Amino acid sequence: MLINGGLIAAQEKLPIFGASFDGTNDYLTRGAGYTGSVDGKVGIYACRIRFNGGDGVQQRIHSSVVFSALLKNANNTISAVGYNVASSNILNLVSNTAYTSSSGYINILASWDLANSLAHLYINNVDDENTGATTKTNDTIDYTQANHSIGGEFNGNFKCNADINVLYFNPAAYIDITSSANRLKFFDAAGKWVPSRTGNGSEPTGTAPILYVPLQYTVFQRNLGTGGQLTVTGALTEPA
């Protein structure tokens, strides 16, 4: 490429969107509650992820101790779960489809409003909820836990062997994702993440979520949401 008669020998490398968790050492922890978080009956998860291994093994994508979580189960289905203060499961959204290391990138979108018996799970813009396994009890999820984590449980169990591009968690809002227009606020028709990678993630609902991590492996622990920062255990790398 020529600029003013000069040859540019190398291009500046653009930031990589995503971080690779190796399934052995890597995960992030908050080490405290999310700033401003309160218990509630609504919530939204959005995540773009590619599993690289660990088929047939549970992997925690996000976890608030064990009281709310987004995970891949041991049977390779995807779940969004929530528990009340009595440790009773009051939210359980499970996918019909199993996702493995051969599935490539998948876009997960879940939203719930337990007070109105609403809960939905879409993967790759398709309703993938196993309605026979769904739990949606009109009760309050205990979101105000003493620790939270990404890429594994806070104690290092159930680590992800995956590339995570973005993780969004909003325990203070519900959005009707049965509406295609609302799904397009998160992922466009080509499956690309819509909200700004440098903003606070407020575009889908008008309010910044507690957790918004559009991961870049060089600044992987940065939470652009309102809940505070996380600490890295291990060493995340650039996705393949």
Side-chain angles (χ1 to χ4, degrees):
M1 179 178 179
L2 292 172
I3 296 181
N4 295 329
L7 178 65
I8 296 179
Q11 289 182 310
E12 179 183 358
K13 190 174 183 180
L14 295 175
I16 297 298
F17 190 36
S20 187
F21 294 74
D22 65 8
T24 303
N25 300 304
D26 306 337
Y27 62 105
L28 313 180
T29 55
R30 167 69 178 146
Y34 286 130
T35 302
S37 182
V38 296
D39 297 340
K41 298 184 179 184
V42 297
I44 304 168
Y45 268 124
C47 180
R48 180 168 171 80
I49 187 169
R50 174 177 63 187
F51 295 105
N52 295 321
D55 296 345
V57 176
Q58 184 182 144
Q59 299 184 41
R60 294 292 181 99
I61 303 168
H62 175 259
S63 187
S64 295
V65 187
V66 294
F67 284 81
S68 61
L70 180 66
L71 64 143
K72 182 179 77 67
N73 298 295
N75 66 357
N76 299 315
T77 58
I78 302 298
S79 286
V81 300
Y83 289 74
N84 63 14
V85 293
S87 302
S88 296
N89 180 216
I90 59 173
L91 169 69
N92 191 28
L93 286 167
V94 185
S95 69
N96 281 302
T97 307
Y99 297 93
T100 66
S101 56
S102 65
S103 300
Y105 275 107
I106 61 172
N107 294 335
I108 303 168
L109 186 57
S111 189
W112 55 92
D113 176 358
L114 298 180
N116 292 291
S117 194
L118 298 170
H120 304 286
L121 175 64
Y122 278 71
I123 299 181
N124 293 336
N125 202 32
V126 174
D127 183 356
D128 199 16
E129 178 188 351
N130 181 351
T131 55
T134 297
T135 299
K136 43 186 176 182
T137 303
N138 184 3
D139 201 350
T140 301
I141 297 175
D142 188 3
Y143 290 128
T144 51
Q145 293 296 305
N147 208 340
H148 307 267
S149 55
I150 298 173
E153 208 169 51
F154 73 100
N155 56 11
N157 293 330
F158 306 118
K159 295 185 187 73
C160 275
N161 186 347
D163 297 334
I164 303 177
N165 280 179
V166 64
L167 178 61
Y168 169 110
F169 175 52
N170 190 338
Y174 167 78
I175 189 168
D176 180 10
I177 60 174
T178 65
S179 161
S180 60
N182 283 339
R183 295 197 301 275
L184 288 170
K185 295 177 180 180
F186 294 89
F187 300 102
D188 69 16
K192 296 179 181 178
W193 181 247
V194 172
S196 168
R197 299 181 189 180
T198 57
N200 60 11
S202 62
E203 294 95 333
T205 67
T207 304
I210 286 288
L211 181 70
Y212 178 47
V213 186
L215 285 164
Q216 294 179 16
Y217 79 103
T218 52
V219 287
F220 28 76
Q221 76 275 25
R222 186 174 61 182
N223 177 17
L224 302 182
T226 61
Q229 299 307 314
L230 298 100
T231 299
V232 181
T233 295
L236 303 187
T237 57
E238 177 181 338

